[in-house]
């Protein structure tokens, strides 16, 4: 007998996995988001500053293997959604945010003590 995949959940042992789409404001500011489980809906707290790919654990909301009294966990992977299109007002807001942040998320890529070349040097 074969096992068919679930449209929402994956499985890793007794743990269930779920990719949770969240907006940039929810990831940046934090949010309480309702997520489905196999038998109910639970609220997952997204802490402020949560990066894409962060895995949040909801204990006891996985599955129990045959003979196990304890269920696994629900592992929720945060999937920050980026809009594919912006209107003029939204674009201006993102540009203003970028200016206000004034940081370089890739700065550490070039901070190695072994390689002091600038990113545009071929060396």
């Amino acid at each position: 007998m074969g096992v068919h995949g679930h449209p929402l959940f994956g499985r890793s042992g007794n743990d269930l996995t779920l990719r949770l789409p969240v907006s940039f404001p929810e990831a940046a500011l934090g949010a309480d988001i309702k997520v489905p489980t196999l038998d109910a809906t639970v609220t997952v707290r997204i802490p402020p500053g949560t990066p894409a790919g962060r895995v949040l654990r909801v204990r006891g909301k996985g599955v129990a293997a045959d003979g196990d009294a304890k269920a696994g966990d629900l592992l929720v992977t945060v999937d920050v959604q980026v809009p594919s299109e912006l209107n003029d007002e939204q674009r201006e807001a993102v540009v203003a945010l970028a200016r206000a942040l004034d940081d370089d998320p890739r700065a550490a890529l070039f901070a190695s003590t072994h390689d002091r070349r600038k990113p545009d040097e071929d060396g």
Side-chain angles (χ1 to χ4, degrees), residues 5-10 17-19 36-37:
H6 192 278
L8 291 178
F9 301 106
T17 61
L18 173 71
R19 293 196 65 81
T37 68

Side-chain angles (χ1 to χ4, degrees), residues 4-76:
H4 299 284
H6 192 278
L8 291 178
F9 301 106
R11 186 166 173 183
S12 177
N14 288 358
D15 295 332
L16 291 178
T17 61
L18 173 71
R19 293 196 65 81
L20 179 65
V22 300
S23 68
F24 173 76
E26 290 170 328
L29 303 173
D32 291 337
I33 299 177
K34 294 184 185 300
V35 298
T37 68
L38 289 177
D39 59 357
T41 299
V42 297
T43 300
V44 172
R45 175 156 287 166
I46 307 296
T50 297
R54 167 86 38 95
V55 177
L56 306 171
R57 182 178 301 269
V58 181
R59 297 205 182 276
K61 292 299 180 181
V63 294
D66 293 333
D68 283 350
K70 185 177 177 192
D73 300 330
L74 174 62
L75 305 177
V76 179

